[in-house]
């Protein structure tokens, strides 16, 4: 299939693996160009019967596995673009948060502020559960992180954001962003989410 930029393409996928609906599963694909970066395809799978939904992002230009990082120090840094695929790992250093690929992981195109909002919503839910369990220490820790996030958003506290993707499908985009190639050791240590990394036969024979 040829992707046409700027248009939403709908593809019928058949039966839903969740509810068994016949012919109710479809994919919506949208290709757009991110300035100074390249073309990205956002894909969302939806079941019209049960509402199952899963999203992913794919960079359409060949990019090597990299580590991207940015130091958020003022409010404008929150607008640093974040392209995260299902195989991307995000680290928020100062608050000790790591978002790793998993069965329920979704890809997205957002910015640092959007990532912080996702973390904030998750923490609020976790804090509520811990309150019901009477885990005062976990509640206190969640409140500390929530307070820190608010101060980051107000430009009062720094935050180091990193994203790593062994498949090269994730990135940070902005003036302050730094990047470097991932080492082979780092690539092997990172989760791939639903994907499998296949090494060329030559690399295996050479111990690479």
């Amino acid at each position: 299939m040829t992707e046409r930029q700027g248009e939403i393409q709908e593809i019928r996928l058949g039966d839903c693996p969740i509810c068994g609906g016949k012919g109710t599963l479809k994919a919506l694909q949208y290709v757009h160009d991110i300035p100074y970066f390249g073309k990205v395809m956002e894909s969302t799978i939806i079941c019209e019967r049960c509402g199952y939904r899963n999203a992913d992002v794919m960079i359409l230009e060949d990019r090597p596995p990299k580590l991207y990082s940015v130091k958020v120090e003022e409010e404008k840094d929150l607008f640093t673009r974040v392209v995260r695929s299902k195989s991307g790992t995000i680290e928020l250093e100062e608050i000790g948060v790591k978002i790793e690929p998993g069965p329920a992981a979704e890809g997205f195109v957002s910015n640092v502020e959007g990532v912080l909002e996702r973390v904030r919503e998750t923490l609020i839910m976790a804090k509520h559960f811990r309150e019901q369990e009477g885990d005062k220490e976990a509640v206190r820790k969640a409140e500390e992180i929530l307070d820190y996030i608010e101060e980051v958003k107000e430009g009062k506290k720094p935050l180091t954001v990193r994203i790593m993707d062994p498949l090269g499908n994730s990135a940070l985009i902005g003036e302050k962003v730094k990047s470097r190639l991932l080492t082979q050791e780092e690539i092997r240590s990172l989760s791939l989410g639903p994907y499998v990394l296949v090494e060329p036969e030559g690399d295996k024979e050479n111990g690479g």
Side-chain angles (χ1 to χ4, degrees):
M1 174 184 171
T2 301
E3 302 299 342
R4 287 179 289 179
Q5 186 172 337
E7 295 182 15
I8 296 177
Q9 305 290 319
E10 180 175 318
I11 305 170
R12 306 304 301 191
L13 299 178
D15 301 343
C16 176
I18 306 300
C19 70
K22 299 297 182 183
T24 60
L25 201 66
K26 67 179 181 180
L28 300 178
Q29 296 181 334
Y30 175 67
V31 177
H32 56 109
D33 197 32
I34 296 180
Y36 312 110
F37 185 69
K39 291 182 180 179
V40 171
M41 181 176 72
E42 295 186 63
S43 178
T44 304
I45 296 174
I46 301 169
C47 174
E48 297 170 328
R49 181 185 177 192
C50 69
Y52 167 75
R53 180 185 182 280
N54 198 282
D56 200 4
V57 174
M58 182 173 291
I59 296 171
L60 298 182
E61 299 175 7
D62 188 25
R63 290 183 177 273
K66 279 189 173 184
L67 180 153
Y68 295 84
S69 64
V70 66
K71 187 71 169 284
V72 178
E73 297 171 298
E74 49 189 325
E75 288 184 61
K76 69 178 184 179
D77 297 335
L78 294 168
F79 295 102
T80 300
R81 295 291 291 273
V82 179
V83 178
R84 191 258 179 149
S85 81
K86 286 184 179 181
S87 55
T89 295
I90 297 175
E91 290 182 351
L92 308 176
E93 183 178 311
E94 286 79 358
I95 58 176
V97 169
K98 180 183 283 190
I99 305 169
E100 294 184 290
E106 287 201 343
F108 57 81
V109 177
S110 184
N111 55 29
V112 170
E113 185 173 22
V115 172
L116 288 177
E117 184 59 25
R118 287 169 181 260
V119 172
R120 190 184 74 86
E121 290 175 357
T122 301
L123 278 170
I124 289 173
M125 287 191 293
K127 176 173 169 282
H128 177 67
F129 289 135
R130 294 303 187 185
E131 284 173 339
Q132 291 181 324
E133 294 173 353
D135 190 338
K136 293 181 180 179
E137 179 60 25
V139 170
R140 183 190 65 78
K141 183 63 177 176
E143 288 174 344
E144 283 182 2
I145 296 175
L146 287 167
D147 289 343
Y148 196 100
I149 287 174
E150 288 307 310
E151 291 189 276
V152 170
K153 291 167 76 172
E154 293 169 4
K156 296 177 180 178
K157 289 280 182 73
L159 182 68
T160 305
V161 181
R162 299 188 188 92
I163 190 164
M164 298 158 283
D165 191 330
L167 301 183
N169 272 327
S170 302
L172 297 176
I173 307 158
E175 292 180 2
K176 293 177 63 176
V177 173
K178 298 179 181 179
S179 67
R180 66 167 174 80
L181 292 173
L182 288 170
T183 66
Q184 286 300 313
E185 185 177 346
E186 287 171 329
I187 290 172
R188 293 190 183 100
S189 70
L190 290 168
S191 172
L192 289 167
Y195 302 110
V196 176
L197 189 64
V198 179
E199 294 185 8
E201 290 298 324
D203 288 352
K204 292 179 182 177
E205 291 171 3
N206 296 327

